[in-house]
Amino acid sequence: MRAKKQRTRGLFITLEGVEGSGKSTQIRHLAEVLSQAGYRVLQTREPGGTATAEAIRKILLTASSHEPITPRTEALLIFAARCQHVTHLIAPALQRGTVVLCDRFSDSTLAYQGFARGLPLKWLVATDRVATSGLTPDLTLVLDVPVSVGLARRRADRAQQNRLDGETERFHRKVRRGFLTLVAAAPARMRVVNANRPSQEVRDEITQIVLGWMARPPRSSRRS
Ligand SMILES: Nc1ncnc2c1ncn2[C@@H]1O[C@H](COP(=O)(O)OP(=O)(O)O)[C@@H](O)[C@H]1O
Ligand SMILES: [Mg+2]
């Protein structure tokens, strides 16, 4: 049954976590490992991934003191970007049997816009379903680091600073707790990876989890 499913649909793997947890670093490594293992891989990110979604990303990551982006506007822009991304890039790739690796996806929206900004989770979940047409990741890795560690890594790399780096540590702690709450609610799909370690160690654990999971994905993760 699994073999049949793999012929008709690729695998959708997402990386989540607070700023500076190592998502962008690790997704590059994972793409390399999977390509070398012979999989056809698409590496992408949110918000973004298509021309329109990347244009929306620019709006989201640029602070304006004249016209602050409201939490609802932020959420709606993220959903608009996600709808373009799923429709024009992710879904077609999965249809072709590609392994899609995405840096942030729906769980980030629940963690940031829900747990941290305080928008109602029910509304976010329902609207997300509209944006994704119900597509959920098969496997989600949450890279977990103390917020102070993540933010210090980002500060050391000024080129990466964006509007979200201006948020308080308290905000980022809510995000981190949000991710851990989401994992507790969907343990079949989501795994926590301790990312407060040297990059190589994190990389090895991610490789082990993903290759092990691909060899025998738990059935329940297909539907959760
Ligand atoms: N395990 C690690 N230990 C120390 N520094 C790291 C580690 N992983 C990533 N970094 C560095 O921290 C910064 C943020 O990493 P990045 O992968 O961009 O995180 P994210 O995409 O989650 O914000 C980068 O400068 C990166 O080189
Ligand atoms: Mg990143």
Side-chain angles (χ1 to χ4, degrees), residues 146-157:
V147 161
S148 55
V149 173
L151 293 182
R153 286 181 188 170
R154 300 270 301 194
R155 273 195 293 273
D157 187 352

Side-chain angles (χ1 to χ4, degrees), residues 18-216:
V18 296
E19 304 290 323
S21 54
K23 300 178 296 299
S24 302
T25 305
Q26 295 299 335
I27 204 166
R28 279 196 300 272
H29 291 153
L30 184 57
E32 225 174 81
V33 166
L34 293 179
S35 299
Q36 276 166 14
Y39 292 95
R40 192 166 48 208
V41 176
L42 172 73
Q43 185 193 322
T44 185
R45 68 172 182 185
E46 286 225 338
T50 72
T52 305
E54 289 288 334
I56 295 172
R57 178 188 182 91
K58 280 210 185 83
I59 298 173
L60 283 164
L61 296 184
T62 311
S64 163
S65 51
H66 304 297
E67 187 188 333
I69 296 173
T70 75
R72 284 188 213 181
T73 303
E74 182 183 58
L76 290 167
L77 285 170
I78 288 166
F79 289 134
R82 182 163 303 143
C83 192
Q84 289 297 109
H85 193 200
V86 168
T87 306
H88 295 294
L89 191 68
I90 298 176
L94 291 172
Q95 207 65 46
R96 291 192 301 270
T98 300
V99 177
V100 177
L101 305 180
C102 192
D103 185 337
R104 296 194 181 284
F105 198 65
S106 302
D107 297 300
S108 273
T109 311
L110 299 180
Y112 282 80
Q113 281 63 48
F115 288 94
R117 294 234 195 271
L119 292 178
L121 287 173
K122 253 189 168 169
W123 178 76
L124 289 168
V125 168
T127 315
D128 185 61
R129 203 167 292 139
V130 175
T132 61
S133 305
L135 176 71
T136 53
D138 296 300
L139 175 67
T140 298
L141 303 176
V142 174
L143 305 193
D144 187 54
V145 284
V147 161
S148 55
V149 173
L151 293 182
R153 286 181 188 170
R154 300 270 301 194
R155 273 195 293 273
D157 187 352
R158 289 199 71 79
Q160 285 204 33
Q161 301 278 303
N162 65 46
R163 190 171 63 93
L164 284 175
D165 290 286
E167 295 290 346
T168 60
E169 280 213 26
R170 187 164 164 262
F171 173 86
H172 292 287
R173 279 200 298 274
K174 286 186 198 169
V175 173
R176 183 188 184 198
R177 275 202 301 276
F179 279 125
L180 297 177
T181 303
L182 292 170
V183 175
R189 171 175 65 87
M190 301 178 80
R191 306 273 177 86
V192 179
V193 173
N194 173 11
N196 190 15
R197 294 180 291 171
S199 199
Q200 184 64 47
E201 282 183 31
V202 180
R203 175 188 177 150
D204 291 346
E205 185 180 346
I206 288 176
T207 302
Q208 198 184 2
I209 291 174
V210 172
L211 290 181
W213 179 85
M214 286 173 105
R216 205 162 64 89

